[in-house]
Amino acid sequence: MSASFHFLLLLLSCRGINTKDPDPTPPPLVPTTSLPSDVKSVVLKGESHVEKVELLKPVNLALECTWTGNQNKLPNITGYWRKDGDEIENSRLTVQLENGQYNLKREFRIVDEESLGNYSCVFDSEAEIHFILAVPQMGEERDKPIVSYVGDSVVIACKMEETKPQPRTWQWYKANGTDKEPINADAEPLRYEVKNEAGTAGKAGKTMLTVHKLTEADSGSYYCGAVYDIGISMSHVELRVITFLQPLKPFLAIVVEVLVLVAVILLYERSSSKKKSTAGDGMNADQANKLTQGENNGMEGSSTMRQRKV
Ligand SMILES: *[C@@H]1O[C@H](CO)[C@@H](O)[C@H](O)[C@H]1NC(C)=O
Ligand SMILES: *[C@@H]1O[C@H](CO)[C@@H](O)[C@H](O)[C@H]1NC(C)=O
Ligand SMILES: *[C@@H]1O[C@H](CO)[C@@H](O)[C@H](O)[C@H]1NC(C)=O
């Protein structure tokens, strides 16, 4: 009992010392010795090359660059490394020409999402090889939003192609303006439901997010994340929640247009038939009959005269 308490105290004090440490980087979760090692080598003849490296787990990765060089074949050149465009400190060194080629090699501890990225070896600012270290990427994103109605449910799905290493699990996010906020379906079972299907060899793993009782506030950017030990691969889906009236709008516009058109035609008809009725047209025979015979005759006479003139 007291022994474990002491142990706990010891642990706490260790933590205390750690936080006082000027170096803010947390202690590695996996000791270097137990990290598996891997090597990626590229031989470059031209000026640049891009090598994509898919990673799933933390690894001690040695990157090897070989440049067969320019025409000058200088006995030595300067070489250095860049990460995401920034020169890596203390990576500059003189590279000797050996067997007509220059070699540059460096080991990197790739343990988390931060350490993934774009690693470049640079030879004398003349040639460079970019190693793009990333988790497996999902296929092309759908560029059209998913459209659904207020009050309905919608299912958004994501999958990792069967040819690629399958993720450990999945996580959904919703963009809230500044961040991607993780969706916790268990905490909001009435709003969200998540179903995952594990991928196996030859079968794509997938995840389905159901959003229930949609409101217009559910519109926005959703992200599905395929979770690997080393990082999360993201894919983006846009959701638009609309009311039932919205798709009717163009239809309603046409209906209104038709109604206006019909009204205009009717008005025109009426006004022109009024003119004609005063002229004692056959259509308005009743009306014409009500008029006194004399008036009628006189008007008819003048109108036929007018009509004939036309
Ligand atoms: C690099 O080569 C130059 C000649 O181009 C030579 O003078 C210099 O000593 C060499 N430096 C090293 C470190 O080998
Ligand atoms: C990798 O970084 C270099 C700069 O060091 C940049 O020119 C290149 O476009 C980047 N490649 C990718 C795929 O991001
Ligand atoms: C967005 O989500 C992040 C992460 O959960 C949270 O810290 C932040 O406060 C949220 N911002 C808004 C505007 O809700």
Side-chain angles (χ1 to χ4, degrees):
M1 184 72 183
S2 80
S4 66
F5 180 66
H6 276 133
F7 179 66
L8 200 73
L9 268 183
L10 199 71
L11 252 166
L12 285 173
S13 61
C14 277
R15 285 199 144 198
I17 289 162
N18 261 349
T19 49
K20 274 176 212 147
D21 203 320
D23 181 12
T25 52
L29 293 171
V30 191
T32 316
T33 46
S34 79
L35 264 189
S37 299
D38 203 355
V39 184
K40 294 285 167 200
S41 310
V42 169
V43 178
L44 176 69
K45 289 196 179 71
E47 283 174 0
S48 104
H49 176 81
V50 175
E51 183 81 2
K52 294 201 166 145
V53 182
E54 220 167 60
L55 293 177
L56 310 176
K57 289 187 162 75
V59 62
N60 248 333
L61 189 63
L63 300 178
E64 281 182 359
C65 297
T66 301
W67 185 40
T68 54
N70 54 12
Q71 303 306 312
N72 306 337
K73 297 275 181 202
L74 294 170
N76 64 58
I77 59 169
T78 309
Y80 66 93
W81 289 86
R82 281 206 298 249
K83 159 105 201 280
D84 299 326
D86 298 326
E87 183 171 338
I88 293 174
E89 255 178 74
N90 306 322
S91 72
R92 218 165 252 272
L93 46 83
T94 302
V95 184
Q96 307 291 334
L97 183 70
E98 282 170 46
N99 305 322
Q101 59 192 30
Y102 304 99
N103 292 299
L104 203 48
K105 180 180 173 177
R106 196 177 167 94
E107 241 180 53
F108 296 96
R109 275 174 51 80
I110 313 296
V111 289
D112 53 20
E113 201 133 25
E114 290 276 283
S115 48
L116 295 173
N118 177 355
Y119 290 81
S120 317
C121 56
V122 186
F123 292 99
D124 232 10
S125 307
E126 273 185 59
E128 42 192 56
I129 299 168
H130 307 299
F131 294 88
I132 312 296
L133 275 46
V135 287
Q137 301 297 302
M138 278 178 257
E140 73 243 40
E141 301 185 344
R142 55 178 295 151
D143 46 359
K144 280 189 186 166
I146 292 178
V147 178
S148 199
Y149 296 110
V150 167
D152 273 5
S153 292
V154 69
V155 180
I156 315 173
C158 265
K159 66 170 185 177
M160 180 61 68
E161 282 115 279
E162 63 266 26
T163 52
K164 297 197 172 162
Q166 295 300 313
R168 184 160 53 78
T169 182
W170 297 86
Q171 174 66 54
W172 283 91
Y173 303 85
K174 173 149 199 256
N176 69 0
T178 49
D179 286 284
K180 298 187 183 82
E181 206 162 5
I183 290 176
N184 185 353
D186 293 335
E188 294 174 275
L190 295 178
R191 281 192 74 200
Y192 299 116
E193 196 183 320
V194 172
K195 252 189 218 156
N196 297 336
E197 282 174 21
T200 49
K203 182 170 167 285
K206 68 175 185 175
T207 180
M208 284 161 289
L209 170 73
T210 309
V211 187
H212 294 293
K213 295 207 181 93
L214 288 168
T215 66
E216 272 169 296
D218 288 318
S219 292
S221 290
Y222 289 79
Y223 295 85
C224 63
V227 182
Y228 294 90
D229 289 340
I230 187 83
I232 300 174
S233 177
M234 294 276 194
S235 183
H236 166 237
V237 186
E238 197 71 22
L239 176 66
R240 265 184 57 205
V241 182
I242 57 173
T243 62
F244 277 104
L245 277 181
Q246 253 161 315
L248 286 179
K249 270 180 187 164
F251 173 73
L252 287 177
I254 290 169
V255 167
V256 166
E257 251 169 59
V258 167
L259 284 179
V260 166
L261 211 68
V262 166
V264 165
I265 290 169
L266 282 177
L267 277 175
Y268 177 77
E269 284 266 296
R270 254 185 105 180
S271 70
S272 70
S273 72
K274 247 185 200 163
K275 270 182 208 157
K276 278 179 190 165
S277 86
T278 50
D281 194 87
M283 289 257 285
N284 292 298
D286 284 350
Q287 235 178 306
N289 284 345
K290 276 176 200 154
L291 296 165
T292 61
Q293 201 65 30
E295 269 174 354
N296 197 7
N297 277 347
M299 282 172 94
E300 200 165 35
S302 67
S303 115
T304 40
M305 292 266 289
R306 239 180 281 139
Q307 270 174 355
R308 266 170 207 153
K309 270 180 210 160
V310 173

